Amino acid sequence: TAGIAYGLARGISMGYLSGEYEHAVSMAVDAVKRCVNEAGEVEQVSRGTPVLPSKEDYKTISRNPTLYGQGLALLAICS
């Protein structure tokens, strides 16, 4: 979510995307902010998403704080 939000925001700022995506960016950034805990860690970051055989298998991917999650969240929130 953070990476997509940042990508959309960057696309808007560079003129590649129209402002019609600003609401989507705002909603995504709000969702990312809700995942920041009291210690400043971004929770609910997927450890990675390989191609899996079924939709149900995606529910088993662990979600924990990660360094790349922190970075993506900072980019999204500051965009």
Side-chain angles (χ1 to χ4, degrees):
T1 302
I4 292 169
Y6 175 69
L8 289 172
R10 182 78 170 158
I12 294 166
S13 72
M14 294 185 73
Y16 296 120
L17 297 173
S18 71
E20 71 182 285
Y21 294 97
E22 289 177 359
H23 182 64
V25 171
S26 177
M27 289 188 337
V29 169
D30 288 345
V32 170
K33 287 179 179 179
R34 288 192 299 271
C35 291
V36 179
N37 67 23
E38 292 291 322
E41 297 173 316
V42 181
E43 299 177 334
Q44 301 297 316
V45 179
S46 169
R47 68 165 170 79
T49 310
V51 176
L52 296 171
S54 74
K55 289 187 225 179
E56 292 301 312
D57 290 331
Y58 288 96
K59 295 178 183 177
T60 66
I61 295 173
S62 66
R63 294 175 299 206
N64 307 341
T66 65
L67 292 176
Y68 61 85
Q70 293 289 117
L72 288 170
L74 284 170
L75 286 169
I77 292 168
C78 293
S79 63

